Amino acid sequence: MELGKQIKMRRQEAHLSQEELANRVYVSRQTISNWENDKSYPDVNSLVLLSEIF
């Protein structure tokens, strides 16, 4: 499974909106959307924050 699909699936399981997740990872909502659509990928710091959240 692609990283973007994993992020979206985990976000939905955690009942978080893109905006809520963005605030917790210190990025914009558009960045979350880009990650979920495989247009860009999280940097190492963001991956660490995502792993702590999920």
Side-chain angles (χ1 to χ4, degrees):
M1 182 179 281
E2 295 91 15
L3 180 59
K5 288 182 183 178
Q6 278 286 340
I7 293 171
K8 184 173 184 175
M9 182 180 71
R10 302 292 178 203
R11 177 180 62 77
Q12 290 173 336
E13 287 174 353
H15 304 289
L16 294 170
S17 68
Q18 286 183 341
E19 187 72 35
E20 290 166 330
L21 181 58
N23 288 336
R24 293 176 72 175
V25 184
Y26 309 107
V27 297
S28 69
R29 187 210 53 80
Q30 290 84 358
T31 299
I32 300 295
S33 178
N34 286 338
W35 293 349
E36 291 182 355
N37 292 306
D38 292 321
K39 292 182 180 177
S40 65
Y41 299 97
D43 62 12
V44 174
N45 292 330
S46 296
L47 285 172
V48 170
L49 290 170
L50 289 170
S51 69
E52 291 172 356
I53 293 167
F54 300 140

